[in-house]
Amino acid sequence: MRAGQDQARRGRWRPLRARTAAATVAVLTLAGCGTAGQGAAVAPSTMPISSAAFIQGALAQQYTCHGAKVNPPLTWSGAPPGTKSVALVVDDSSAPITPYIYWLVFDINPGTTDIQEGSLPTGARQAQNSKGSADYDAPCPSSHPHFYRFTIYALDRVLELPNGAPLLSVWTAIAAATIGRGRIVVTGHP
């Protein structure tokens, strides 16, 4: 009887393991090179990204769960020719389950070069984050500093996925369409 219960329990975890493995592959793809839509890995163009809200490389409290819980303003430039849309991924590279995705915005108009504090660019969509909601999940640094990555991606297509699309679906689409990338890393303190 016990062996059957353990086997049933392991069977329930197989889909979770498969999703975790697929998510890990997508993260590694997003962290490294893009495929430029052709299947062959190429280094994406570099795009500068910055925020006047990040003072000395720190995430201000108002952008965390300890403050106003709003997204910080971001500015970027340098989208390469052929950019059809832009995406933004905010994650925590020091989370116990790496990475933890706080915000994933996609189908940003290619002419857009910023995101204002507490807002979403017109026409942009949000994917589900690691919490399962399609919005900005304010980071919540607790016992030790965390490192939050704000990564902007120039894409060679509009993803045309629905608002609230599953995280893995959007990650995979971004990885397949990346032609440019910029990243800024900030520290969040408890």
Side-chain angles (χ1 to χ4, degrees):
M1 177 85 157
R2 175 102 174 130
Q5 288 173 334
D6 287 343
Q7 189 173 27
R9 190 175 297 134
R10 279 194 304 271
R12 285 191 301 242
W13 286 104
R14 283 191 183 123
L16 177 60
R17 283 188 208 148
R19 288 193 310 265
T20 302
T24 301
V25 169
V27 169
L28 293 173
T29 303
L30 287 174
C33 296
T35 60
Q38 302 301 319
V42 295
S45 297
T46 302
M47 299 170 61
I49 180 172
S50 64
S51 177
F54 301 151
I55 311 288
Q56 296 179 335
L59 181 64
Q61 187 173 12
Q62 77 183 57
Y63 306 115
T64 72
C65 70
H66 306 296
K69 302 177 186 174
V70 296
N71 65 277
L74 297 167
T75 303
W76 62 87
S77 61
T83 299
K84 303 286 191 251
S85 72
V86 175
L88 169 70
V89 176
V90 179
D91 72 322
D92 180 352
S93 64
S94 53
I97 299 174
T98 302
Y100 186 92
I101 306 298
Y102 291 97
W103 202 26
L104 200 161
V105 182
F106 63 99
D107 285 352
I108 301 170
N109 184 301
T112 300
T113 57
D114 70 334
I115 291 179
Q116 298 299 309
E117 179 178 299
S119 68
L120 187 67
T122 303
R125 295 183 176 103
Q126 300 175 94
Q128 290 179 6
N129 53 34
S130 291
K131 186 172 101 177
S133 62
D135 58 5
Y136 179 73
D137 177 20
C140 204
S142 54
S143 60
H144 64 280
H146 284 251
F147 302 96
Y148 301 106
R149 301 183 295 193
F150 291 76
T151 309
I152 199 80
Y153 295 93
L155 308 178
D156 67 1
R157 65 193 77 139
V158 175
L159 300 184
E160 297 182 359
L161 295 166
N163 195 52
L167 178 61
L168 186 56
S169 297
V170 179
W171 259 354
T172 304
I174 290 171
T178 298
I179 57 175
R181 185 186 77 170
R183 175 177 289 161
I184 187 169
V185 180
V186 297
T187 305
H189 297 277

